[in-house]
Amino acid sequence: QPVIRHSARKKVKWNSRLARRRYLTMSKADQKGEGLSEEAKRKAEYFEHMSYYRFNGPAGGLSTWNMEYGYLEARVRGFRSGFLTGAEYKQLMQCNSLDELKLALTDTDYGQWITTVSRGVDEKMDIYSKKLMDACQKKFLSEFEYLRMNATGILQTFLDMITYGPMINNFCKLIIAIQKTDEPQEVVKALKNADPLGAYPHLNSIVAFDKQDDLLTDLFDTLLVDTPVSKYFWQYFLPELNGDDEKKDDAGALKKFTLEVELDVMMNMLQKYLLEDMYNYSREIGGETWAIMKELLEFEADRRTVNVTVNSFGTPLNEPDRHDYERKMLYPNFGELYPDGHSLLAGYGKPGISDFATMGNEFKSKTLRFAPLLQDEENFVYAMRQEEAKVFAKGFDSQSHFGCFYAYYKLKMIELRNLKLIFDTISQPRDIETRRGLFKSVTPIFED
Amino acid sequence: MSSFGVTSTGWIKYADLKANGWGEIIGCINPQSWAAVGIGLSIGLSVVGAAWGILLTGASLVGASVKAPRIRSKNLISIIFCEAVAIYGVIMSIILISKYGSGGDDDVLECNSITTEMYFAGYGIFWSGVTVGLSNLACGVCVGATGSGCALAHAQQESMFVKMLIVEIFGSALGLFGVIVGIIMSTDAAFP
């Protein structure tokens, strides 16, 4: 059954005259260049409108899947041929300047997109490299947008769910920019750096809000409740409401939240809820999609579990009294490490000391996932990225399933990260050793 | 056996039916209607199979050839295999129609006057049509699904085409089996 959500077009509510004045006194250049362009806003509005329906049901096997999704699957497999190979990466890494790099890229699949970028007169290298990087990203965005434009039914919902991840990141980063900093420039900068994949048409109206105690709940009531990601925010707020709040009206129920909400933790919680939602949705679709997506999403969940634990060493989240309630809540409720690995990981980390080595040994003795990666602390991040590339390459394996779309998105993110690293390294003159060290973390995709 | 109970005014008499047996409901159907249904099924189901197969393989072929245009001409063979399935159905229908005969000169065909030759012809043509139709339906879907996989694999790797084609050839032999059996079944079937 499609679920229809209601949305009224909300006018921007000026929280204070200061906020309005701050918005109006932003320089014209900032206002124009801020966040999304007009065209991007229109497209975001179209996609947001289309996301009202959530299609459920079996997707059909080998004999019926091609009817609705065969063409787009074939397009995605065409995009798969466009990934940079190991030989092309080697050639890129041998370039000495950005112009050479641009020349090397014209032979690859990015050729059409990169030839239009030219360096201005006396332009700084980092701005030029950002321009080149934007061109590469535009290629991915146009490909993904083509898929989204032509998708129907279950694929439409599936592709929308892929964009909810970047959308959550956009919102949370904007909220952090408003709440943590006192400068409006930070908010504008966060808007400019917003992930275009997670575009929401009314994203710009966030600048109307200024820093206050109940910013989060105020924002939720007015702006976030209309977005497609509102259910994850609501899932986050729900455990905090108790019986008394039901007697109050909706606006007042959430106002008890204060600055105690840690926004970084909130961002990770929302991503966890999104991951669980994707897992449940893939299970509803069933069939071949479930068989493939189960593996991909379980890898994501396990990776998130281990990364949250490892990244929390040395931060306030590592305190023992926060282990069980807060840190453990950040682990998704599925995956190979669930539930034994969770209870194992929940106890790790004394304040100020990282327990990497102990974790590695215990994982090895219990033959849990990622045991070989946890033996080596220095190369953990690189090894995890390699593992990611290997697992998501399996997403292209069988036919007639939606896993190839998710795998395409994830692998493209890896490739764009590789390209950004290469651009950043080459835009500054460096010696061979530093370059080699930096290029160590370029992750080859589809290499055995 | 007396008549089915169909009188000259066209009404069925229940008393006659009770006396003569319920088997006459099926046994007294004009065998030419069986034959007509069989001819319809043979062409209809074959075309459903061919269309289904072309749909499956065409969607993948069109999408994959955007990135790899070189596959366009070679992978049309998959479409041709599916089309052959429909052609088998047409050929079989034409052969069966030639055995169809004309209606005869009587006003009403009484159940008494249906001969065994007519029964043989009617049932033979019907089931021959069903055989051909169902086997071509399965064959069409099979070739279509394999053809779609072939198009996608060929787009990635040049050498995959010939290997996948062998799978498709085996698949298209299924329709041929159905046609052979159908022809043998309906060889002696002829309405007087």
Side-chain angles (χ1 to χ4, degrees):
Chain A
Q1 291 295 322
V3 174
I4 304 174
R5 293 183 286 109
H6 299 283
S7 163
R9 196 178 171 90
K10 302 270 185 199
K11 275 186 72 130
V12 168
K13 184 181 131 194
W14 301 105
N15 265 21
S16 69
R17 296 171 61 197
L18 272 165
R20 183 162 184 273
R21 173 172 300 179
R22 189 176 65 215
Y23 181 74
L24 291 175
T25 53
M26 263 195 301
S27 68
K28 282 293 166 196
D30 275 340
Q31 259 186 17
K32 232 187 266 183
E34 102 193 30
L36 309 171
S37 62
E38 277 308 313
E39 192 197 340
K41 259 194 254 187
R42 256 201 343 263
K43 284 184 188 167
E45 189 142 15
Y46 168 76
F47 287 131
E48 194 256 347
H49 184 80
M50 289 281 124
S51 72
Y52 285 173
Y53 294 92
R54 192 166 162 141
F55 293 89
N56 289 331
L62 207 59
S63 53
T64 46
W65 199 83
N66 271 19
M67 289 182 191
E68 287 173 75
Y69 315 117
Y71 170 68
L72 288 175
E73 188 206 9
R75 285 305 296 264
V76 163
R77 288 180 188 276
F79 297 150
R80 181 204 190 275
S81 329
F83 276 84
L84 296 172
T85 59
E88 283 167 348
Y89 276 127
K90 278 203 184 74
Q91 202 187 6
L92 292 179
M93 292 197 275
Q94 277 164 5
C95 295
N96 289 321
S97 72
L98 283 177
D99 289 322
E100 271 181 50
L101 191 57
K102 182 183 158 185
L103 204 62
L105 273 174
T106 46
D107 289 331
T108 66
D109 209 48
Y110 287 91
Q112 223 181 338
W113 296 86
I114 212 99
T115 47
T116 54
V117 178
S118 60
R119 185 174 167 214
V121 179
D122 281 341
E123 197 171 35
K124 272 200 256 178
M125 276 304 171
D126 50 352
I127 299 181
Y128 184 37
S129 102
K130 186 170 190 311
K131 262 206 236 173
L132 288 170
M133 192 61 214
D134 279 345
C136 293
Q137 202 176 33
K138 245 191 238 163
K139 174 189 182 252
F140 164 64
L141 286 172
S142 81
E143 289 176 353
F144 197 81
E145 192 181 280
Y146 182 84
L147 295 176
R148 252 182 122 185
M149 281 284 186
N150 287 292
T152 58
I154 296 177
L155 183 58
Q156 181 184 326
T157 313
F158 198 83
L159 292 176
D160 283 343
M161 284 183 87
I162 290 178
T163 63
Y164 292 165
M167 202 187 279
I168 291 175
N169 282 346
N170 284 350
F171 282 128
C172 289
K173 286 193 178 133
L174 280 170
I175 295 172
I176 290 174
I178 297 176
Q179 191 77 343
K180 300 289 182 196
T181 65
D182 287 321
E183 306 149 42
Q185 293 309 313
E186 286 294 317
V187 182
V188 174
K189 203 168 90 166
L191 261 181
K192 274 202 203 133
N193 292 339
D195 196 338
L197 200 63
Y200 181 69
H202 307 296
L203 197 68
N204 291 2
S205 51
I206 264 186
V207 295
F209 294 85
D210 51 13
K211 177 175 178 169
Q212 64 201 33
D213 278 351
D214 55 355
L215 165 73
L216 183 60
T217 51
D218 200 13
L219 204 61
F220 181 75
D221 280 334
T222 51
L223 184 67
L224 295 175
V225 74
D226 285 333
T227 63
V229 295
S230 57
K231 66 181 281 195
Y232 309 121
F233 280 95
W234 186 243
Q235 241 179 316
Y236 179 70
F237 293 140
L238 203 56
E240 308 291 333
L241 300 174
N242 52 29
D244 294 337
D245 295 319
E246 284 173 13
K247 296 194 195 115
K248 300 187 201 156
D249 58 357
D250 281 327
L254 296 172
K255 282 244 189 271
K256 57 186 267 192
F257 284 128
T258 64
L259 281 167
E260 281 176 17
V261 169
E262 270 197 42
L263 293 165
D264 295 318
V265 174
M266 180 182 84
M267 188 155 81
N268 282 310
M269 281 291 264
L270 296 173
Q271 294 284 1
K272 169 204 154 173
Y273 287 135
L274 171 64
L275 209 60
E276 286 176 353
D277 200 17
M278 284 193 87
Y279 192 74
N280 289 330
Y281 188 62
S282 306
R283 190 167 40 197
E284 274 171 18
I285 298 175
E288 189 69 23
T289 303
W290 171 231
I292 300 271
M293 282 298 284
K294 184 169 189 289
E295 283 193 31
L296 303 183
L297 288 173
E298 284 192 347
F299 171 80
E300 275 290 305
D302 294 333
R303 181 172 73 143
R304 182 161 277 273
T305 306
V306 170
N307 272 353
V308 160
T309 316
V310 168
N311 291 340
S312 75
F313 292 154
T315 66
L317 192 55
N318 203 23
E319 273 142 48
D321 55 337
R322 298 185 72 177
H323 279 177
D324 274 337
Y325 184 60
E326 282 211 54
R327 192 168 75 179
K328 199 170 176 193
M329 294 291 276
L330 285 173
Y331 305 156
N333 294 333
F334 62 96
E336 277 181 41
L337 290 177
Y338 172 82
D340 303 325
H342 285 199
S343 42
L344 187 71
L345 283 172
Y348 273 105
K350 306 184 194 56
I353 308 171
S354 83
D355 258 15
F356 211 97
T358 334
M359 225 159 76
N361 287 336
E362 217 165 320
F363 266 54
K364 192 163 155 193
S365 66
K366 295 211 170 77
T367 60
L368 289 173
R369 193 178 202 167
F370 299 141
L373 270 69
L374 286 169
Q375 305 298 321
D376 188 0
E377 184 169 356
E378 269 177 31
N379 292 327
F380 173 66
V381 178
Y382 310 140
M384 186 60 98
R385 286 188 190 158
Q386 292 280 40
E387 193 68 25
E388 181 187 6
K390 250 189 260 173
V391 168
F392 281 106
K394 285 196 219 142
F396 281 102
D397 265 350
S398 167
Q399 203 187 344
S400 307
H401 61 83
F402 296 109
C404 54
F405 296 93
Y406 188 56
Y408 162 69
Y409 164 69
K410 283 280 164 183
L411 290 172
K412 209 65 180 184
M413 290 294 110
I414 297 177
E415 183 176 273
L416 288 174
R417 198 170 53 204
N418 286 346
L419 276 174
K420 187 159 174 48
L421 178 67
I422 294 176
F423 280 130
D424 284 342
T425 311
I426 291 184
S427 64
Q428 319 265 331
R430 290 177 215 272
D431 59 3
I432 301 272
E433 281 310 309
T434 339
R435 270 170 60 135
R436 202 174 293 154
L438 285 165
F439 281 152
K440 198 169 50 147
S441 53
V442 167
T443 319
I445 307 173
F446 299 134
E447 303 286 310
D448 291 324
Chain B
M1 234 191 292
S2 60
S3 94
F4 180 44
V6 179
T7 62
S8 51
T9 57
W11 291 104
I12 299 175
K13 276 190 170 164
Y14 172 66
D16 283 340
L17 191 64
K18 209 163 144 225
N20 298 327
W22 289 95
E24 292 200 5
I25 288 180
I26 297 181
C28 290
I29 293 178
N30 190 340
Q32 276 202 310
S33 69
W34 285 116
V37 171
I39 293 170
L41 282 178
S42 89
I43 180 65
L45 291 175
S46 304
V47 164
V48 167
W52 199 336
I54 292 179
L55 149 70
L56 290 178
T57 201
S60 293
L61 179 54
V62 162
S65 58
V66 173
K67 190 68 206 285
R70 59 183 160 82
I71 72 169
R72 278 176 310 191
S73 18
K74 267 188 164 179
N75 278 88
L76 279 176
I77 293 180
S78 308
I79 312 270
I80 290 172
F81 274 135
C82 289
E83 186 67 27
V85 157
I87 291 174
Y88 297 156
V90 171
I91 291 174
M92 205 53 212
S93 301
I94 292 177
I95 292 177
L96 294 175
I97 284 175
S98 71
K99 305 174 189 306
Y100 191 47
S102 68
D105 296 327
D106 306 325
D107 289 335
V108 166
L109 182 66
E110 306 239 324
C111 200
N112 282 347
S113 52
I114 302 179
T115 59
T116 47
E117 202 183 335
M118 290 172 73
Y119 274 125
F120 182 77
Y123 295 147
I125 295 176
F126 175 72
W127 286 108
S128 154
V130 166
T131 305
V132 168
L134 285 181
S135 67
N136 282 344
L137 174 64
C139 169
V141 176
C142 165
V143 174
T146 8
S148 121
C150 176
L152 295 178
H154 189 204
Q156 297 285 329
Q157 233 182 319
E158 186 63 42
S159 60
M160 285 303 291
F161 177 66
V162 177
K163 312 230 159 65
M164 296 290 293
L165 200 62
I166 297 175
V167 180
E168 276 184 70
I169 289 170
F170 278 116
S172 76
L174 302 172
L176 214 49
F177 297 159
V179 170
I180 292 169
V181 169
I183 287 181
I184 297 174
M185 247 163 82
S186 61
T187 319
D188 286 331
F191 281 100

